[in-house]
């Protein structure tokens, strides 16, 4: 047969398949109504396993996996339609709808904001991008930033969540989940590490450099070029490193810090932008311990644990595909004390007002072992 004839045959088969698919979905709606009346759950894992096994057997060895994949997708679509027919609005989405109603229509210009570090820290730069006139209080670690918000000392906190070269800050994710905090806005900051020293010092004078371990790793090539005689000392953050240089009696010490730290602590720039990768950005999140959703929120962050069985992640991802929701980020990490089990972090591109997002949250809450909503927000460019 010629190609055009083969394509015509496929078109004919598709015209037969579509009405059958629609008929199946209509029967699925009747199943949903039965489940409503009897109080049954939408998801019936044993029924789905048995059906997939039977259909795989019917298809024969050559097409077994293709058939299984096709029907796994059809079952996901069917289940999604059942949730929609049932109007399965999740408790979480009621919380989101309530937050949309109660959150002010404008993001505040002024607020008391908790940051980790000292004056000149990158988190301060991020806070000043997010707020026009923030009252910033500095704390020695991220845990204290969270505690300052919980105690009512600060309304918000600004902390890093991921770096374009170093990846996610997993400790921050852990704190977000364990302390039940929400993201209300994000911002990306260009990170340029500069070598700062006391006025009058030269590069050849430097024998010790202070900085945060991440900055040190991001400037590995530059530091290697200085030779083995230069000692590298890790400190809690880059701004603290600049402060230590300014307060030291020594003239042979320097820091890897932001350029703003030079002005803040009266230091000179010996070398500019010494990071290995010129495209170095850190994403900072603005957090609080209540659900606040400001107008324009078009991103949502989630954490979930998928069942420990083959195809579990695929079935979750199929929900996004079925609902037409774009994934901006997917990252996994091992679950402590649970061998070969993982939690997944998702950033979704979807308006918080979208019915698709409501449908997705209802499905995920019902079908995931663990599920945490981290917030809906917009990102400052």
């Amino acid at each position: 047969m010629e190609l055009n004839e083969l394509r015509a045959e496929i078109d004919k088969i598709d015209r037969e398949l579509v009405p059958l698919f629609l008929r199946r979905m209509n029967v699925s709606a009747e199943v949903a109504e039965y489940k409503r009346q009897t109080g049954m759950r939408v998801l019936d894992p044993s029924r789905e396993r048995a059906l997939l096994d039977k259909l795989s057997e019917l298809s024969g060895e050559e097409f077994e996996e293709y058939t299984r994949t096709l029907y796994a997708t059809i079952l996901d679509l069917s289940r999604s339609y059942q949730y929609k027919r049932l109007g399965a609005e999740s408790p979480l989405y009621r919380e989101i709808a309530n937050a949309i109603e109660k959150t002010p229509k404008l993001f505040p210009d002024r607020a008391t904001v908790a940051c980790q570090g000292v004056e000149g820290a990158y988190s301060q730069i991020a806070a000043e991008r997010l707020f026009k006139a923030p009252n910033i209080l500095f704390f020695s670690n991220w845990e204290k930033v969270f505690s300052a918000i919980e105690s009512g000392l600060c309304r918000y906190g600004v902390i890093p969540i991921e770096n374009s070269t170093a990846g996610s800050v997993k400790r921050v994710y852990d704190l977000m989940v364990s302390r039940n905090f929400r993201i209300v806005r994000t911002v990306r900051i260009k990170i340029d590490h500069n070598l700062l020293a006391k006025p009058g010092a030269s590069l050849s004078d430097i024998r010790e450099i202070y900085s945060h371990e991440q900055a040190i790793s991001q400037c590995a090539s530059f530091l290697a070029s200085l030779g083995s005689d230069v000692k590298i000392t890790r400190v809690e953050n880059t701004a603290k490193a600049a402060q230590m240089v300014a307060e030291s009696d020594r003239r042979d010490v320097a820091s890897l810090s932001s350029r703003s730290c030079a002005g803040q602590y009266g230091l000179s720039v010996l070398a500019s932008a010494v990071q290995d990768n010129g495209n170095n950005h850190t994403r900072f999140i603005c957090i609080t311990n209540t659900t606040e959703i400001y107008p324009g929120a078009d991103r949502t962050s989630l954490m979930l644990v998928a069942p420990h069985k083959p195809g579990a992640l695929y079935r979750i991802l199929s929900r996004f595909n079925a609902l037409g929701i774009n994934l901006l980020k997917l990252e996994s990490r091992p679950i402590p004390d649970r061998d070969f089990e993982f939690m997944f972090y998702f950033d979704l591109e979807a308006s918080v007002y979208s019915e698709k997002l409501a449908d997705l949250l209802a499905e995920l809450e019902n079908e995931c072992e663990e599920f945490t909503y981290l917030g809906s927000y917009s990102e400052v460019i």
Side-chain angles (χ1 to χ4, degrees):
M1 294 179 71
E2 295 292 330
L3 179 60
N4 287 340
E5 294 176 300
L6 293 170
R7 286 175 172 169
E9 182 68 14
I10 288 176
D11 290 344
K12 178 183 176 183
I13 294 168
D14 287 340
R15 285 194 294 272
E16 296 172 2
L17 283 175
V18 170
L20 288 173
F21 173 70
L22 296 179
R23 181 180 168 189
R24 192 187 194 286
M25 293 295 278
N26 286 327
V27 174
S28 181
E30 295 180 28
V31 171
E33 183 57 35
Y34 179 86
K35 289 178 178 178
R36 183 208 300 275
Q37 295 175 6
T38 57
M40 293 176 63
R41 287 171 55 88
V42 169
L43 175 62
D44 185 346
S46 60
R47 156 69 179 166
E48 291 196 3
R49 281 196 300 272
L51 179 59
L52 289 173
D53 289 343
K54 180 177 69 176
L55 292 169
S56 297
E57 186 177 338
L58 286 172
S59 65
E61 185 176 350
E62 182 177 1
F63 295 106
E64 178 180 356
E65 289 303 318
Y66 296 100
T67 302
R68 198 174 189 92
T69 300
L70 170 64
Y71 273 89
T73 302
I74 290 174
L75 289 173
D76 286 333
L77 293 170
S78 175
R79 202 178 322 110
S80 178
Y81 186 50
Q82 287 186 38
Y83 278 118
K84 186 171 184 176
R85 293 280 301 193
L86 291 171
E89 182 184 274
S90 68
L92 170 59
Y93 204 78
R94 287 195 293 274
E95 174 190 332
I96 290 172
N98 187 56
I100 291 172
E101 181 181 347
K102 293 186 175 180
T103 302
K105 301 308 178 188
L106 293 176
F107 193 75
D109 288 341
R110 300 173 181 272
T112 303
V113 182
C115 291
Q116 187 267 340
V118 295
E119 292 282 349
Y122 283 109
S123 58
Q124 177 186 352
I125 298 171
E128 290 172 346
R129 284 279 306 278
L130 289 163
F131 300 90
K132 289 184 179 179
N135 175 28
I136 298 175
L137 302 183
F138 291 98
F139 298 88
S140 59
N141 56 52
W142 293 323
E143 287 82 356
K144 291 181 179 179
V145 169
F146 281 80
S147 295
I149 298 167
E150 288 173 332
S151 69
L153 181 61
C154 297
R155 180 176 174 184
Y156 299 107
V158 174
I159 51 178
I161 193 69
E162 66 177 323
N163 177 265
S164 56
T165 58
S168 295
V169 185
K170 293 179 173 57
R171 179 58 183 153
V172 169
Y173 273 115
D174 291 343
L175 288 166
M176 290 291 296
V177 172
S178 65
R179 308 282 275 264
N180 196 30
F181 269 57
R182 299 285 188 260
I183 302 170
V184 298
R185 191 152 288 194
T186 63
V187 63
R188 290 181 186 269
I189 299 295
K190 176 74 162 60
I191 304 298
D192 282 323
H193 298 305
N194 304 275
L195 189 68
L196 309 183
K198 288 181 176 293
S202 64
L203 187 58
S204 60
D205 296 329
I206 304 305
R207 290 294 173 266
E208 186 172 5
I209 296 174
Y210 307 134
S211 199
H212 184 266
E213 60 183 353
Q214 193 172 89
I216 291 169
S217 68
Q218 291 170 3
C219 302
S221 296
F222 171 75
L223 294 175
S225 73
L226 300 180
S228 58
D229 291 340
V230 178
K231 179 183 178 183
I232 309 300
T233 301
R234 289 164 172 77
V235 298
E236 53 263 42
N237 61 66
T238 57
K240 181 64 176 177
Q243 184 184 59
M244 290 171 62
V245 171
E247 294 176 353
S248 174
D249 293 332
R250 297 167 54 187
R251 299 185 60 81
D252 62 348
V253 292
S255 72
L256 289 172
S257 308
S258 68
R259 182 172 286 271
S260 64
C261 283
Q264 181 70 43
Y265 295 106
L267 302 176
S268 296
V269 178
L270 297 186
S272 300
V274 296
Q275 65 273 9
D276 298 341
N277 188 340
N279 184 29
N280 186 14
H281 291 79
T282 294
R283 182 175 173 228
F284 288 83
I285 55 175
C286 180
I287 59 171
T288 192
N289 60 345
T290 58
T291 303
E292 296 182 11
I293 301 174
Y294 289 91
D298 58 359
R299 299 185 180 209
T300 292
S301 292
L302 310 171
M303 187 284 293
L304 58 84
V305 175
H308 185 47
K309 59 184 180 181
L313 179 59
Y314 166 78
R315 298 185 70 170
I316 291 170
L317 292 176
S318 71
R319 305 290 195 283
F320 301 108
N321 182 56
L323 293 169
I325 292 176
N326 186 38
L327 270 179
L328 297 172
K329 176 181 180 179
L330 167 58
E331 185 170 327
S332 67
R333 64 169 299 195
I335 301 174
D337 304 320
R338 290 164 65 174
D339 291 343
F340 305 109
E341 294 191 50
F342 295 84
M343 63 180 68
F344 298 90
Y345 300 115
F346 292 86
D347 285 350
L348 318 177
E349 186 177 36
S351 170
V352 74
Y353 310 104
S354 167
E355 289 185 8
K356 292 180 180 180
L357 181 62
D359 293 342
L360 176 69
L361 295 178
E363 293 180 39
L364 293 179
E365 273 197 297
N366 280 286
E367 298 190 20
C368 292
E369 288 186 2
E370 298 176 33
F371 176 80
T372 301
Y373 169 73
L374 296 176
S376 296
Y377 51 88
S378 58
E379 182 161 289
V380 175
I381 304 299

